[in-house]
Amino acid sequence: AQSVTQLGSHVSVSEGALVLLRCNYSSSVPPYLFWYVQYPNQGLQLLLKYTSAATLVKGINGFEAEFKKSETSFHLTKPSAHMSDAAEYFCAAQTAAGNKLTFGGGTRVLVKP
Amino acid sequence: DTAVSQTPKYLVTQMGNDKSIKCEQNLGHDTMYWYKQDSKKFLKIMFSYNNKELIINETVPNRFSPKSPDKAHLNLHINSLELGDSAVYFCASSHVIRSTQDQETQYFGPGTRLLVL
């Protein structure tokens, strides 16, 4: 069965520093991959998705993620953290169109002034 | 112009009661989902409907019964509520282009926070 692992349930970064959130998937067939963000008491908002057209995917709010098949990874990065980036981030995989999303455990990002 | 909406946003109820959560999407999507997010923020699929037909039914107690009156609505009815049902329930929707099996994005509602006392 498909599984998604996010390394680190909490990440603390200083404002202006690099944000790196790790995601690994387990699938012999590269799935569709997504990053969602959840702000406190809100729903999930799509940050970006992997479409197999390009391994480096750019999303909203300055985030990007790189798909690496050899490492079965889809890590999320942002060069310079902003206070407004404090939120919970979820990596998710989908093995086929119309299929369910399998989520990682989430990573809470804290941004220090 | 809300894409995926849920009602109510908050629901506080007693154990043993029966309650319903409603979901509507105005995106023209053909597939809708229910996810449960527990107190540790873990998200898991519960159900999925495509064109009003149940296509995913994970291991969920039969106290939970989804109903899809049309493609734009997917409601969740819960009988005999238990303390462990306390969670945030998210509705989502998506569209699949069958001819190309193009990748779809699931769009989520704001969630319904259920607290069972």
Side-chain angles (χ1 to χ4, degrees):
Chain A
Q2 174 76 252
S3 69
V4 178
T5 304
Q6 290 182 239
L7 188 62
S9 58
H10 293 80
V11 167
S12 182
V13 297
S14 298
E15 193 173 19
L18 171 72
V19 179
L20 170 61
L21 305 181
R22 300 179 188 275
C23 173
N24 288 87
Y25 64 91
S26 68
S27 173
S28 57
V29 176
Y32 303 136
L33 294 162
F34 304 81
W35 275 99
Y36 285 88
V37 60
Q38 184 179 26
Y39 297 103
N41 296 316
Q42 293 190 28
L44 282 79
Q45 180 181 359
L46 181 70
L47 274 178
L48 50 81
K49 61 183 181 182
Y50 168 64
T51 63
S52 77
T55 56
L56 185 62
V57 182
K58 293 190 183 299
I60 62 171
N61 301 340
F63 284 93
E64 63 181 35
E66 186 172 9
F67 172 72
K68 291 187 177 179
K69 184 178 178 180
S70 60
E71 299 177 5
T72 61
S73 69
F74 190 56
H75 302 331
L76 181 72
T77 60
K78 181 173 180 177
S80 177
H82 191 272
M83 297 299 291
S84 61
D85 294 326
E88 190 94 24
Y89 292 79
F90 293 93
C91 181
Q94 183 181 36
T95 52
N99 211 341
K100 64 180 181 182
L101 280 172
T102 299
F103 284 90
T107 299
R108 177 164 292 182
V109 172
L110 172 66
V111 182
K112 299 177 290 186
Chain B
D1 60 345
T2 304
V4 182
S5 59
Q6 296 179 228
T7 54
K9 190 171 181 180
Y10 298 95
L11 184 53
V12 181
T13 188
Q14 299 286 332
M15 259 194 336
N17 284 351
D18 302 337
K19 291 293 178 186
S20 291
I21 307 172
K22 296 186 176 182
C23 178
E24 177 181 3
Q25 54 94 5
N26 62 6
L27 297 167
H29 289 164
D30 56 7
T31 306
M32 296 184 72
Y33 311 78
W34 277 109
Y35 288 85
K36 179 180 180 180
Q37 185 176 46
D38 63 23
S39 58
K40 295 183 179 178
K41 299 288 186 179
F42 185 68
L43 273 155
K44 191 166 187 230
I45 184 79
M46 297 175 71
F47 301 103
S48 171
Y49 269 73
N50 177 262
N51 286 319
K52 302 195 297 174
E53 181 183 346
L54 180 67
I55 57 173
I56 293 176
N57 184 350
E58 294 291 294
T59 309
V60 176
N62 57 15
R63 298 182 294 105
F64 289 79
S65 53
K67 284 188 172 50
S68 181
D70 54 58
K71 287 198 308 183
H73 297 83
L74 180 61
N75 303 324
L76 184 64
H77 188 75
I78 315 171
N79 288 327
S80 303
L81 278 155
E82 299 177 358
L83 295 177
D85 298 332
S86 296
V88 182
Y89 293 85
F90 286 102
C91 177
S93 73
S94 67
H95 177 66
V96 177
I97 304 173
R98 295 292 176 193
S99 59
T100 63
Q101 285 293 293
D102 197 8
Q103 180 193 29
E104 61 181 65
T105 297
Q106 293 184 23
Y107 294 90
F108 284 77
T112 295
R113 284 146 186 83
L114 171 64
L115 177 61
V116 182
L117 302 174

